[in-house]
């Protein structure tokens, strides 16, 4: 057993970061060893509940395969241990020489999902700007940013968690919270007890769909048409909040004209839903105004018209008058903490960030460089080359679209440093693999914007030679000569103190309150006195900002690619990424008790499709898209579980089972540049007449 715990025996309350829900947990320690994780009842996020992944942090931390020593790749491709100081010196020297030879902008950073979207990510943003390069990449090029941009374009902000508890009707668009966001089920359950209704829009019968009052199974990629159909219905039947729309929105006239084409017949044809289903859905919305909330899942932004489809859903919320009200979409207020990034202090105006020319909205609004364009730069097809990357908390060679190309791009770097807890498909391509501290080995602030709450997690243990993110960036920046100026804090606790200072909450108070502190009470209808944070100060049903960029100002509908273009060669529609409760993207397949639950990858098929393909459960099938092909065992589900003609494969499996060999990096959302991870045209071939179940 390695590592030194903060206390010898006892219970330390902290925050779980096995996923992005930030539940309160108690870590039980006996004689210097972590023995159990239980739920922290006082924490408002989870109220003591845990999902299976939380307690598995112990298996992760003590996993026999965990990387605890720095590794350097030798000429023959094998990894050799190297002392940490030497590794850091060598990396710093390589960065200096690449900067001198090719320019600072050829060096980049990448942060993956494991580090989340706040403090940990901001260290990397700070570092790379101080180094002189704007090239910060992350998993945000295919997660969250599409929704964030869409909602921000309409109302100026995105609320990650609407007011489920007080809503009369909740619509989940392509999302399955019992699995993906277990803590949503607490307020949702409370709302349901009070009589709140539920509509789920998903081509599959998910766990949340089983609980729904109405489950619609549209054709993948057609959600925009459905949302426009709902808008048309509300306008035609005069069921919308006229006062709100008149006083607080712009673009209503144009929206109303565009909505006219979305007649029931038109929408039924696009979505594959019946007229009756459409009418039921429209009536439920109209009958429950204004407390109607829409939650858009990741699969909507993974569509090739993702931003406009999400914008349409946001406009629908606005017509409902469900903005900034109890039981609606909340408008969260920040705490006023300091900003770790240097975008204001040290703008790098003279260098064009990767992708900012093709997807200006993505860079302008969230300072994210576009990862599929980044691959082109790494392959030498950009305005300048990307030569070096420091990546932490991600496994893009597995999780990013067209994964074969991603691997080729990363393999071509002159310097590739990866910080991870395990060896992965991505670390295999690295020149240096540095052991990363788990969330139990660092301290950071956690924000819960929907109830305006902050808490701090604590360092529960430490492993010698395993650096937390802050210490890594600090040590590297000191070697490069800008540490004293930009990374002056000794420890992460010092950073936390600095971040909190303007908020008036001091670190010691927060540390004494493991359940956290509400930094501001939630207020409603702030728009009556405060302009929306959009260019016009109003809610923008039509965007002048997009128009200036040459993009359509309205959230126009575009048919998914399988309808737009001839795809007779690819008669099935693939959706990817439906989450499994015990896996997190490419993570946790190395936990034996989880692996027992889901031992191998699988492709879900409707029984009629299985009949058509003369296929049985367990047969190995080859699925082929324009990008590539994979081989996985088939799972023939019940007829009601998936829409006929649709196939689902979850991502995160390796090599020939990796569904990202099929996903599209060449078809991108016009606003965000998001690659297309759902609604992909594919064909299917049986690999062998009858096969085993393992892939
Ligand atoms: N256990 C676990 N939890 C996770 C994750 C994980 O990997 N494992 N990942 C986390 C991350 S980073 C994210 S972003 C979230 C995502 O979480 P959610 O946004 O809730 O997404 P999923 O749970 O994948 O559910 C997506 C659903 O969309 C459906 N779908 C696919 N295409 C379409 C379409 O075109 N239209 C509609 N209406 N539906 C469609 C799929 O059938 C699937 O059921 O989950 C987070 N939580
Ligand atoms: N086809 C398809 N592909 C998808 C999706 C989909 O729906 N369909 N979903 C996409 C989405 S929404 C997302 S967010 C991305 C996520 O994609 P990635 O960002 O690549 O996330 P993970 O696969 O979880 O990789 C996290 C890595 O970090 C390591 N790690 C764990 N904890 C720590 C830590 O504390 N510190 C450090 N340094 N490393 C740690 C893990 O071992 C793992 O290798 O995947 C995307 N890929
Ligand atoms: S939902 Fe599970 S993994 Fe996520 S923070 Fe909560 S306990 Fe941890
Ligand atoms: Mo994500």
């Amino acid at each position: 057993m390695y590592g030194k715990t903060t206390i010898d025996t006892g219970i330390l309350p902290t925050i779980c970061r096995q996923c992005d829900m930030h539940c309160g947990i108690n870590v039980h320690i006996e004689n210097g060893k972590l023995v159990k994780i239980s739920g922290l009842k006082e924490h408002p996020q989870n109220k003591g509940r845990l999902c299976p992944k939380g307690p598995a942090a112990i298996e992760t931390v003590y996993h026999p395969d965990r990387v605890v020593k720095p590794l350097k790749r030798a000429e023959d491709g094998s990894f050799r241990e190297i002392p940490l100081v030497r590794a850091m010196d060598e990396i710093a020297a390589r960065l200096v020489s690449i900067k001198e030879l090719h320019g600072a902008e050829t060096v980049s950073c990448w942060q993956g999902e494991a580090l989340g979207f706040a403090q940990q990510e901001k260290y990397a943003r700070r570092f790379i700007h101080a180094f002189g390069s704007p090239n910060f990449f992350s998993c945000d090029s295919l997660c969250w940013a599409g929704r964030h941009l869409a909602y921000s374009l309409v109302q100026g902000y995105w609320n990650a968690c609407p007011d489920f508890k007080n809503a009369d009707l909740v619509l989940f668009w392509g999302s399955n919270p019992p699995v993906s966001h277990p803590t949503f089920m607490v307020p949702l359950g409370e709302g349901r007890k009070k009589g709140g209704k539920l509509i789920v829009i998903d081509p599959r019968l998910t766990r949340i769909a089983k609980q729904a009052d109405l489950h619609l199974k549209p054709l993948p990629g057609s959600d925009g048409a459905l949302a426009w159909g709902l808008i048309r219905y509300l306008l035609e039947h005069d069921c919308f909040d006229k006062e709100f729309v008149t006083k607080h929105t712009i673009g209503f006239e144009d929206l109303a004209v565009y909505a006219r084409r979305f007649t029931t017949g038109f929408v039924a044809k696009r979505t594959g839903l019946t007229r009756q289903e459409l009418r039921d859905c429209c009536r439920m919305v109209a009958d429950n105004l204004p407390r109607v909330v829409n939650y858009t899942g990741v699969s909507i932004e993974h569509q090739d018209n993702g931003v406009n489809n999400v914008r349409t859903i946001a406009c629908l919320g606005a017509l409902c008058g469900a903005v900034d009200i109890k039981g609606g979409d909340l408008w969260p207020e920040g705490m006023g903490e300091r900003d770790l990034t240097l975008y204001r202090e040290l703008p790098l105006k003279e260098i064009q960030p990767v992708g900012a020319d093709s997807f200006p909205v993505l860079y302008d609004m969230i300072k994210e460089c576009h990862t599929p364009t980044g691959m082109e730069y790494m392959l030498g097809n950009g305005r300048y080359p990307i030569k070096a990357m420091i990546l932490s908390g991600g496994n893009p060679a597995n999780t990013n679209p067209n994964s074969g190309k991603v691997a080729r791009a990363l393999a071509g770097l002159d310097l590739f440093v990866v910080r991870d807890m395990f060896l992965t498909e991505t670390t295999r391509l690295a020149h240096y693999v540095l052991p990363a501290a788990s969330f139990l080995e660092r301290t950071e602030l956690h924000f819960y914007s929907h109830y305006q709450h902050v808490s701090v997690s604590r360092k529960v243990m430490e492993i010698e030679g395993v650096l937390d993110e802050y210490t890594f960036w600090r040590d590297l920046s000191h070697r490069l000569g800008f540490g004293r100026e930009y990374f002056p804090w000794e420890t992460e606790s010092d950073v936390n103190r600095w971040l909190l200072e303007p908020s008036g909450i001091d670190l010691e108070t927060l540390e004494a309150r493991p359940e956290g502190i509400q930094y501001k009470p939630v207020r409603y209808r702030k728009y009556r006195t405060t302009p929306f944070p959009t260019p016009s100060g109003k809610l923008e049903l039509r965007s002048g900002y997009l128009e200036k960029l040459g993009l359509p100002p309205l959230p126009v509908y575009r048919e998914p690619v399988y309808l737009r273009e001839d795809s007779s060669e690819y008669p099935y529609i693939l959706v990817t990424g439906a989450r499994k409760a015990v896996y997190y993207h490419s993570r946790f397949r190395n936990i034996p008790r989880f692996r027992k639950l889901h031992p191998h990858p699988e492709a879900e098929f409707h029984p009629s499709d299985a009949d058509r393909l003369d296929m049985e459960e367990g047969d190995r099938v080859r699925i082929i898209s324009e990008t590539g092909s994979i081989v996985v065992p088939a799972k023939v589900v019940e007829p009601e579980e998936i829409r006929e003609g649709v196939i689902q494969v979850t991502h995160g499996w390796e090599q020939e089972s990796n569904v990202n060999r099929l996903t599209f990096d060449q078809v991108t959302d016009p606003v965000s540049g998001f690659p297309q991870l759902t609604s992909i045209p594919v064909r299917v071939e049986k690999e062998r007449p009858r096969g085993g179940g393992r892939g």
Side-chain angles (χ1 to χ4, degrees):
M1 200 61 56
Y2 42 74
K4 189 174 176 342
T5 47
T6 310
I7 56 168
D8 183 63
T9 296
I11 299 175
L12 289 178
T14 187
I15 305 297
C16 177
R17 268 300 280 122
Q18 291 277 85
C19 89
D20 202 39
M21 292 280 94
H22 308 246
C23 295
I25 53 172
N26 283 310
V27 181
H28 301 245
I29 304 171
E30 278 173 22
N31 304 318
K33 190 180 162 201
L34 316 187
V35 291
K36 189 175 122 177
I37 288 178
S38 60
L40 179 65
K41 288 201 177 59
E42 299 74 29
H43 201 285
Q45 177 72 355
N46 58 315
K47 300 186 174 166
R49 301 184 197 191
L50 293 181
C51 87
K53 298 185 297 304
I58 298 187
E59 285 125 295
T60 310
V61 163
Y62 291 142
H63 200 287
D65 296 342
R66 184 158 172 199
V67 176
V68 284
K69 297 267 193 275
L71 303 170
K72 181 178 179 182
R73 201 173 72 206
E75 289 283 314
D76 65 359
S78 66
F79 282 107
R80 312 262 160 84
E81 282 184 15
I82 171 173
L84 180 63
V85 172
R86 213 168 91 211
M88 294 292 281
D89 287 344
E90 288 183 12
I91 292 165
R94 292 288 296 127
L95 289 173
V96 170
S97 96
I98 291 171
K99 185 175 184 173
E100 276 170 6
L101 270 173
H102 306 288
E105 68 277 16
T106 66
V107 175
S108 62
C109 284
W110 182 307
Q111 298 282 283
E113 219 289 329
L115 293 172
F117 315 103
Q119 193 166 333
Q120 306 299 326
E121 165 179 315
K122 286 185 181 162
Y123 296 141
R125 285 181 181 264
R126 187 175 180 90
F127 171 88
I128 199 67
H129 244 233
F131 184 81
S133 167
N135 289 322
F136 172 83
F137 298 100
S138 80
C139 57
D140 291 351
S141 281
L142 45 68
C143 175
W144 169 81
R147 285 171 283 175
H148 181 83
L149 299 187
Y151 272 91
S152 301
L153 285 164
V154 177
Q155 51 193 39
Y157 57 89
W158 182 54
N159 166 42
C161 183
D163 189 4
F164 298 127
K165 182 175 160 182
N166 295 302
D168 291 326
L169 173 65
V170 176
L171 289 94
F172 281 110
W173 300 76
S175 167
N176 184 23
V179 170
S180 61
H181 298 98
T183 59
F184 282 9
M185 299 313 287
V186 179
L188 194 67
E190 289 171 34
R192 296 282 279 161
K193 261 191 214 139
K194 291 195 282 184
K197 298 268 184 304
L198 180 63
I199 298 179
V200 173
I201 301 147
D202 195 311
R204 299 167 54 251
L205 181 67
T206 56
R207 268 168 65 183
I208 192 72
K210 284 183 186 157
Q211 303 176 21
D213 298 290
L214 178 66
H215 175 202
L216 301 179
K217 279 191 206 159
L219 279 163
S222 69
D223 300 74
L226 177 59
W228 274 111
L230 282 160
I231 289 179
R232 180 179 188 272
Y233 181 94
L234 295 185
L235 299 182
E236 292 259 303
H237 292 79
D238 229 8
C239 303
F240 65 100
D241 189 333
K242 280 199 205 70
E243 195 197 332
F244 178 79
V245 168
T246 312
K247 281 198 186 148
H248 302 289
T249 72
I250 57 165
F252 177 71
E253 298 301 327
D254 290 356
L255 182 101
V257 170
Y258 188 75
R260 277 187 213 139
R261 73 194 67 182
F262 293 88
T263 58
T264 312
F266 182 93
V267 176
K269 194 159 166 226
R270 263 60 195 180
T271 57
L273 298 170
T274 63
R275 283 171 177 267
Q276 186 61 46
E277 286 174 318
L278 292 173
R279 270 196 295 269
D280 289 348
C281 181
C282 289
R283 281 203 195 114
M284 270 177 81
V285 172
D287 289 348
N288 286 287
L289 295 174
R291 291 190 176 190
V292 173
V293 298
N294 291 282
Y295 180 83
T296 35
V298 76
S299 60
I300 311 301
E301 62 182 355
H302 286 168
Q303 299 169 355
D304 64 349
N305 194 38
V307 167
N308 278 339
N309 292 344
V310 180
R311 275 175 79 209
T312 311
I313 296 169
C315 291
L316 171 67
L319 295 184
C320 293
V323 177
D324 198 25
I325 61 165
K326 195 170 178 176
D329 276 333
L330 301 172
W331 177 5
E333 294 181 273
M335 187 180 74
E337 75 280 11
R338 283 207 174 97
D339 181 11
L340 264 167
T341 70
L342 295 170
Y343 294 107
R344 263 192 302 250
E345 273 168 84
L346 194 66
L348 301 171
K349 288 206 179 105
E350 65 290 357
I351 308 167
Q352 172 89 256
V354 172
D357 46 354
S358 4
F359 300 105
V361 183
L362 184 68
Y363 192 79
D364 188 31
M365 292 182 84
I366 62 161
K367 304 283 179 281
E368 167 86 6
C369 292
H370 183 242
T371 54
T373 306
M375 301 306 157
E376 293 297 337
Y377 276 57
M378 286 176 236
L379 291 166
N381 305 325
R383 288 171 173 234
Y384 51 83
I386 289 286
K387 293 279 184 190
M389 176 177 286
I390 305 172
L391 180 146
S392 192
N395 185 9
N398 179 284
T399 53
N400 278 52
N402 198 351
S403 48
K405 180 169 148 192
V406 174
R408 275 198 311 283
L410 296 174
L413 290 165
D414 287 0
L415 174 68
F416 187 30
V417 179
V418 181
R419 288 174 46 77
D420 204 300
M421 297 166 66
F422 296 101
L423 293 179
T424 66
E425 280 178 289
T426 302
T427 61
R428 260 174 234 149
L429 308 167
H431 299 103
Y432 296 89
V433 180
L434 300 181
S438 76
F439 75 91
L440 291 171
E441 297 147 49
R442 60 176 184 252
T443 159
E444 63 187 308
L445 299 177
H446 303 260
F447 293 99
Y448 308 83
S449 62
H450 45 295
Y451 46 92
Q452 298 177 185
H453 193 96
V454 58
S455 50
V456 67
S457 53
R458 64 170 88 217
K459 224 174 188 165
V460 167
M461 60 179 281
E462 208 168 350
I463 301 171
E464 207 191 324
V466 175
L467 302 186
D468 60 55
E469 295 301 307
Y470 176 68
T471 310
F472 166 74
W473 295 116
R474 185 202 64 191
D475 287 8
L476 195 56
S477 64
H478 278 268
R479 280 174 168 82
L480 293 166
F482 55 83
R484 206 180 312 169
E485 193 169 359
Y486 294 114
F487 288 83
W489 309 279
E490 187 53 33
T491 65
E492 204 166 35
S493 285
D494 299 333
V495 181
N496 293 343
R497 193 167 287 113
W498 178 83
L499 286 170
L500 281 170
E501 218 168 49
S503 74
I505 297 173
D506 70 274
L507 184 61
E508 286 65 30
T509 311
L510 201 54
E511 283 174 343
R513 298 268 300 274
E515 76 287 4
I517 291 176
Q518 189 179 46
Y519 54 79
K520 256 182 215 162
V522 174
R523 300 184 299 148
Y524 302 109
R525 297 194 199 273
K526 299 180 284 295
Y527 57 78
R528 285 180 173 160
T529 50
T530 315
F532 281 108
T534 58
S536 63
K538 297 207 173 187
L539 220 136
E540 302 198 344
L541 307 174
R542 176 189 195 286
S543 167
Y545 165 81
L546 290 183
E547 194 172 30
K548 276 196 205 119
L549 291 169
L551 291 160
L554 284 176
V556 292
Y557 180 65
R558 181 166 78 147
E559 309 246 81
V561 74
Y562 64 86
L563 293 178
R564 222 166 51 228
E565 289 170 15
D566 173 29
S567 48
S568 44
E569 247 190 276
Y570 301 103
Y572 290 90
I573 310 165
L574 176 76
V575 302
T576 74
R579 273 66 180 151
K580 301 277 183 232
V582 294
Y583 294 145
Y584 209 77
H585 307 296
S586 67
R587 273 178 269 169
F588 307 138
R589 282 168 183 76
N590 59 3
I591 308 271
R593 65 192 170 93
F594 287 177
R595 193 65 183 251
K596 258 193 209 147
L597 291 173
H598 293 289
H600 57 79
E602 58 202 13
E604 296 166 24
F605 283 89
H606 188 279
S608 305
D609 293 327
D611 290 347
R612 202 169 299 121
L613 291 157
D614 188 24
M615 189 178 78
E616 300 289 337
E617 173 91 14
D619 278 354
R620 289 167 66 78
V621 291
R622 182 172 292 275
I623 306 179
I624 304 154
S625 79
E626 231 173 51
T627 313
S629 77
I630 61 168
V631 179
V632 279
K635 179 179 179 183
V636 183
V637 300
E638 295 300 318
E640 65 278 11
E641 285 185 80
I642 195 163
R643 200 191 154 92
E644 203 175 325
V646 175
I647 303 167
Q648 196 290 128
V649 182
T650 298
H651 63 301
W653 295 96
E654 290 199 353
Q655 305 298 334
E656 70 160 15
S657 311
N658 182 359
V659 74
N660 281 318
R661 288 190 178 184
L662 304 179
T663 49
F664 285 180
D665 62 340
Q666 78 283 19
V667 183
T668 48
D669 175 77
V671 183
S672 63
F674 264 40
Q676 194 190 339
L677 304 184
T678 183
S679 336
I680 295 167
V682 292
R683 70 168 183 272
V684 183
E685 291 167 6
K686 221 162 71 166
E687 187 68 352
R688 295 192 237 120
R690 217 40 237 248
R694 287 198 171 251

